């Protein structure tokens, strides 16, 4: 995609927005790794999809009918005071569901070096998960416990808070099915290989998603969550300075974006906490600009830009980039599927009183 004079003006505006934003928000947030409905087994043949259990919209209809409203009050206040909390919660939900299912195992806090086995949060893939997300879920849980003690799981509260994060940023509101139980354990060893990485190839992404029973359309739709949120410099530094050992920037990143990102992310000596928005055009708005950015070579992460470069996923990028309503429908459908992965029911799970500590 080429840019004429109006495009050049627009791009300069984006650069100014990017630099101005980063100047005051370096330490606020981190990326959502994250993460789709047609090719359910794309990239992986003969692999059995994870077991899914039935959830329902009225699961707490008699025991805690106001749960959606209670959680929404907390998330709205958090979003007003800390806008970074929204994408942080959304990223938490993705990281939770992709490791042993949607069971709030990501919320269990490390017990300390002398306490034994490490938990999911100890792993490198999860160390940069922003505290804003954990705090928001704990606050929502406390509010729910004050009205409905011992009833609503942390896993369901996380799913509700993720939905609220999408809506508060301008995205669609959708009904969230409930009935998940919380995991009794959180095992660090289950993380490796379960989550996409910042520079994953499309082959690797499709394999990760297929292992969860999700397909190429889910991959592209859920990756649209990167319309909000932020990435640490370390996740794309190679694209700016030494792409695949060439000592040159990634040729598939617009040169002007390379220049703008280098201002915040030097090759050496930069802050480990410096971040940039995934979506350099509308970083705080949940919309479909993310897909237009990929078409213009403005994808920050290599795994994002790869979706437009690969012939298997490019048509989906074009489709969702052309129609915001279609993106919203696809995103909601894929969130519903992701939210049903390996749900714990009955005695296989529990309802924690404090999300960071199992019973």
């Amino acid at each position: 995609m080429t840019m004429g004079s109006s495009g050049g003006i627009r791009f300069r505006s984006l650069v100014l927005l990017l630099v101005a934003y980063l100047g005051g928000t370096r330490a606020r947030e981190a990326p959502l790794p994250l993460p789709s409905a047609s090719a359910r087994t794309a990239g992986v043949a003969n692999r059995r999809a994870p077991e899914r259990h039935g959830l329902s919209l009225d699961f707490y209809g008699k025991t805690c009918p106001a749960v959606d409203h209670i959680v929404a009050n907390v998330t709205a206040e958090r979003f007003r005071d800390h806008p970074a909390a929204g994408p942080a919660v959304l990223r938490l939900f993705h990281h939770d569901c992709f490791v042993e299912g949607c069971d709030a195992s990501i919320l269990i806090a490390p017990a300390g070096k002398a306490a034994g086995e490490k938990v999911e949060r100890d792993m490198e893939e999860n160390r940069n998960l922003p505290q804003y997300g954990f705090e928001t879920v704990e606050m929502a849980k406390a509010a729910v416990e004050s009205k409905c003690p011992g009833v609503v799981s942390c896993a369901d509260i996380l799913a509700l808070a993720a939905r609220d994060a999408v809506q508060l940023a301008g995205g669609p509101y959708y009904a969230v099915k409930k009935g998940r139980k919380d995991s009794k354990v959180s095992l660090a060893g289950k993380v490796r290989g379960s989550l996409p990485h910042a520079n994953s190839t499309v082959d690797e992404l499709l394999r990760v998603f297929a292992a969860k029973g999700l397909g190429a359309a889910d991959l592209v739709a859920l990756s649209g969550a990167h319309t909000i949120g932020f990435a640490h410099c370390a996740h794309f530094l190679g694209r700016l300075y030494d792409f695949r050992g060439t000592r040159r920037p990634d040729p598939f990143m617009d040169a002007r974006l390379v220049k703008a990102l280098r201002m915040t992310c030097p090759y050496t000596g930069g802050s480990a906490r410096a971040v940039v928005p995934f979506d350099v055009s509308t970083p705080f708005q949940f919309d479909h600009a993310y897909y237009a950015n990929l078409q213009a070579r403005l994808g920050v992460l290599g795994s994002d830009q790869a979706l437009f470069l690969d012939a298997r996923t490019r048509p989906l990028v074009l489709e969702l980039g052309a129609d915001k309503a279609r993106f919203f429908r696809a995103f909601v459908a894929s969130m519903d599927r992701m939210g049903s992965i390996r749900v714990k029911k009955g005695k296989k799970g529990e309802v924690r009183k404090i999300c960071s500590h199992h019973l």
Side-chain angles (χ1 to χ4, degrees):
M1 176 179 288
T2 59
M3 293 186 181
S5 59
S6 62
I9 293 172
R10 179 174 178 272
F11 189 89
R12 286 194 294 274
S13 299
L14 302 186
V15 171
L16 289 173
L17 171 63
L18 180 63
V19 174
Y21 172 76
L22 290 169
T25 332
R26 287 194 170 205
R28 294 195 82 179
E29 255 285 28
L32 253 173
L34 347 346
S36 308
S38 57
R40 289 255 172 230
T41 55
V44 179
N46 300 319
R47 177 171 292 183
R48 186 177 179 181
E51 184 180 1
R52 283 181 163 80
H53 296 277
L55 301 171
S56 65
L57 295 176
D58 61 350
F59 187 82
Y60 300 111
K62 294 183 178 180
T63 56
C64 194
V67 60
D68 286 64
H69 182 68
I70 297 170
V71 173
N73 283 340
V74 174
T75 53
E77 182 177 355
R78 287 287 288 172
F79 186 80
R80 183 186 67 242
D81 296 339
H82 304 285
V89 169
L90 187 54
R91 186 183 179 206
L92 265 186
F93 188 51
H94 282 264
H95 276 236
D96 184 45
C97 291
F98 268 59
V99 180
E100 296 295 289
C102 307
D103 58 6
S105 55
I106 187 63
L107 302 178
I108 295 179
K113 294 182 179 180
E117 196 161 13
K118 292 184 177 180
V119 298
E120 292 174 25
R121 285 165 68 172
D122 287 316
M123 293 297 288
E124 182 179 354
E125 293 89 336
N126 293 324
R127 284 177 190 160
N128 284 328
L129 290 173
Q131 194 62 29
Y132 284 124
F134 294 103
E135 292 170 353
T136 300
V137 177
E138 290 287 8
M139 292 170 67
K141 174 63 171 175
V144 172
E145 283 292 308
S146 71
K147 302 294 183 181
C148 315
V151 173
V152 182
S153 69
C154 296
D156 279 341
I157 289 174
L158 177 55
L160 291 169
R163 183 270 312 280
D164 294 342
V166 170
Q167 185 198 21
L168 288 166
Y173 177 89
Y174 55 94
V176 173
K177 295 173 183 174
K178 297 171 277 288
R180 304 165 186 82
K181 286 288 187 72
D182 298 326
S183 174
K184 298 179 181 180
V185 296
S186 178
L187 303 175
K190 299 292 184 179
V191 175
R192 191 62 48 82
S194 294
L195 293 166
H197 293 139
N199 291 303
S200 293
T201 65
V202 172
D203 280 337
E204 292 167 341
L205 292 170
L206 289 172
R207 281 196 294 270
V208 169
F209 274 69
K212 318 302 176 189
L214 302 173
D218 295 303
L219 164 62
V220 177
L222 290 175
S223 294
H226 284 176
T227 184
I228 57 175
F230 308 86
H232 280 91
C233 294
H235 290 112
F236 56 87
L237 205 62
R239 298 190 71 204
L240 303 182
Y241 298 98
D242 189 20
F243 182 66
R244 296 178 181 175
T246 62
R247 296 186 180 181
R248 299 179 62 83
D250 186 343
F252 296 110
M253 179 181 281
D254 188 286
R256 290 163 292 184
L257 180 60
V258 172
K259 182 177 180 179
L261 293 176
R262 282 179 168 181
M263 295 173 66
T264 297
C265 303
Y267 187 57
T268 59
S271 170
R273 303 185 69 183
V275 296
V276 302
F278 288 121
D279 179 347
V280 297
S281 55
T282 57
F284 298 105
Q285 185 70 24
F286 195 98
D287 56 23
H288 63 322
Y290 162 83
Y291 300 104
N293 291 341
L294 300 187
Q295 295 170 53
R297 297 190 297 144
L298 298 178
V300 173
L301 299 185
S303 56
D304 284 337
Q305 192 61 57
L307 298 178
F308 181 69
L309 299 176
D310 193 285
R312 292 167 292 181
T313 47
R314 184 185 303 119
L316 296 166
V317 171
L318 294 171
E319 178 183 311
L320 300 185
D323 188 336
K324 183 168 75 170
R326 179 171 290 185
F327 162 52
F328 281 4
R329 290 194 298 272
F331 182 80
V332 168
S334 292
M335 284 289 281
D336 179 70
R337 281 187 285 273
M338 186 184 74
S340 301
I341 297 173
R342 297 190 65 176
V343 167
K344 308 293 188 297
K345 303 284 284 187
K347 294 182 179 180
K348 292 184 178 180
E350 62 185 13
V351 176
R352 295 182 215 139
K353 294 185 181 299
I354 299 175
C355 292
S356 57
H357 302 283
H358 63 79
L359 299 178

